[in-house]
Amino acid sequence: KQEVTQIPAALSVPEGENLVLNCSFTDSAIYNLQWFRQDPGKGLTSLLLIQSSQREQTSGRLNASLDKSSGRSTLYIAASQPGDSATYLCAVKDAGNNRKLIWGLGTSLAVNP
Amino acid sequence: DAGVIQSPRHEVTEMGQEVTLRCKPISGHNSLFWYRQTMMRGLELLIYFNNNVPIDDSGMPEDRFSAKMPNASFSTLKIQPSEPRDSAVYFCASSLQGFPDTQYFGPGTRLTVL
C-alpha cells in the first residue's frame, strides 16, 4: 500500500533563503507526482506535476525533482518570500491505480520578513 | 472562469442534523472529486465522478454519507445524520479528464458538528 510522507511537518525560514521540502513514497511504481500549495482557508493549487518518466520540473522560483528508485521528491524554492508562506503537499498517483491520489500530510512553511 | 465553487464556506450544526454540501465544477470539466481533510488523516478522497457517474465511492466512510451529481454543473455531498467526528474541511475538485489531469480545487467547506 502506497504511503506518502513529508518531512519536516513545519519549517520557518528568513526571507531570501533557498529551501528544500521533502516528500517520500514507499512504492516506486508511480504514474506521476504533484506538488500543491494550500493557503489558509483556501483550496489547493497545483504547482508542479512530474510524470514518472521525468526527473524534474521547473516553474519560476520552484523546481521539483523526482527520484523514483529511491522513492523521493524534493521541492526547491529559491529566494523565498513571505508570500511563499503556505502549506505544501505532495501527492502520488500509483501506476497501478488510475483512480486515486495518495497524499502526504504537508509541510507548513513560514517565511519571515 | 470562476473556478470551482463550493457552498457554504462554513457550516456549524448539531449532532444528528442533516448536512448538505454543494459544488459547482469548472465548466467543461467532466470529472469531479470530493475530499475530506483533517489534521490527523490529511486529505482523503471520498468519491469520484466521471461524466456525472460515480466511479469510485470506496472512500465514503459509511452509509451516513451520500453524494450525487445530477448534471455536469452540480454535485452534492450529504451527511445524515451528522456526528462530531465528521468535523473537517470538505473540498470539491474538478478536472478535464479524471486523474491523469490536474485537479482544480474549490475553497472548501469547513464543517463543525457539535
Side-chain angles (χ1 to χ4, degrees):
Chain A
K1 178 185 173 185
Q2 180 74 270
E3 292 182 2
V4 179
T5 304
Q6 291 187 248
I7 295 174
L11 182 63
S12 181
V13 300
E15 180 178 4
E17 267 201 15
N18 302 325
L19 57 98
V20 174
L21 307 181
N22 298 295
C23 173
S24 61
F25 46 95
T26 54
D27 187 345
S28 61
I30 65 170
Y31 186 83
N32 63 37
L33 182 146
Q34 297 185 59
W35 283 93
F36 290 82
R37 168 182 173 142
Q38 183 175 23
D39 292 282
K42 297 186 179 180
L44 284 73
T45 302
S46 179
L47 297 173
L48 292 164
L49 184 153
I50 311 176
Q51 301 292 351
S52 63
S53 58
Q54 297 175 320
R55 294 194 66 87
E56 66 177 343
Q57 283 283 350
T58 298
S59 176
R61 293 182 295 107
L62 306 180
N63 176 277
S65 68
L66 175 64
D67 184 343
K68 276 199 315 178
S69 60
S70 66
R72 292 194 298 184
S73 175
T74 60
L75 179 66
Y76 175 83
I77 303 177
S80 59
Q81 304 170 357
D84 295 329
S85 299
T87 296
Y88 291 82
L89 296 98
C90 74
V92 164
K93 189 160 92 66
D94 282 340
N97 182 347
N98 267 344
R99 296 176 295 177
K100 293 184 181 181
L101 289 173
I102 311 299
W103 296 81
L105 292 181
T107 294
S108 178
L109 172 66
V111 180
N112 306 305
Chain B
D1 197 313
V4 176
I5 299 173
Q6 290 186 248
S7 64
R9 293 294 309 277
H10 301 273
E11 177 81 29
V12 180
T13 190
E14 292 187 347
M15 182 174 63
Q17 296 297 307
E18 176 180 297
V19 175
T20 299
L21 311 181
R22 297 173 176 79
C23 175
K24 176 178 167 55
I26 293 173
S27 177
H29 284 190
N30 64 7
S31 297
L32 183 140
F33 311 82
W34 281 101
Y35 288 92
R36 177 172 66 177
Q37 185 179 39
T38 60
M39 290 289 291
M40 292 301 296
R41 300 169 69 99
L43 267 166
E44 302 172 282
L45 177 67
L46 300 177
I47 188 169
Y48 155 47
F49 291 87
N50 192 48
N51 293 324
N52 312 338
V53 176
I55 302 300
D56 184 353
D57 66 354
S58 59
M60 296 286 261
E62 48 199 273
D63 291 345
R64 297 184 297 107
F65 285 68
S66 62
K68 294 182 179 179
M69 192 165 186
N71 57 62
S73 60
F74 184 66
S75 177
T76 60
L77 177 67
K78 185 177 294 186
I79 308 173
Q80 167 64 19
S82 57
E83 297 182 3
R85 61 194 169 113
D86 301 331
S87 297
V89 180
Y90 291 81
F91 287 104
C92 174
S94 70
S95 72
L96 268 174
Q97 292 185 20
F99 280 98
D101 278 330
T102 296
Q103 296 176 30
Y104 295 84
F105 282 74
T109 295
R110 181 173 293 278
L111 173 65
T112 302
V113 183
L114 303 175

